[in-house]
Amino acid sequence: MNIWIYIAAAAAIVGSALATGWAQAKIGSSAAAALAEKPELRTTAVLMIAIPETMVVLGFVIAVLILSKGG
């Protein structure tokens, strides 16, 4: 396989993981501040923190697709 296929697959995972980490850092600090004032927002806070995880899953799926089409 061409080296660019491996680089593209790695970029798909690395890019989505970095974006997820950045998003969760921003959401996490905001959620902590909101929960300090309104504890009843706990379910919403957990959902908002979990939503960016789908980016990593989609990045993994794209990497698998890239590697499966590369051969």
Side-chain angles (χ1 to χ4, degrees), residues 1-8 67 70-71:
M1 264 197 245
N2 192 352
I3 188 71
W4 294 108
I5 293 172
Y6 295 119
I7 292 173
L67 291 175

Side-chain angles (χ1 to χ4, degrees), residues 15-71:
S16 62
L18 288 174
T20 296
W22 179 80
Q24 284 184 334
K26 300 296 181 184
I27 293 169
S29 63
S30 299
L35 288 174
E37 294 181 18
K38 288 187 165 187
E40 62 271 10
L41 294 175
R42 138 180 99 247
T43 305
T44 304
V46 169
L47 287 175
M48 295 304 287
I49 291 172
I51 287 173
E53 285 295 323
T54 58
M55 285 193 294
V56 174
V57 173
L58 293 175
F60 177 74
V61 169
I62 290 171
V64 168
L65 290 174
I66 289 170
L67 291 175
S68 68
K69 297 291 183 181

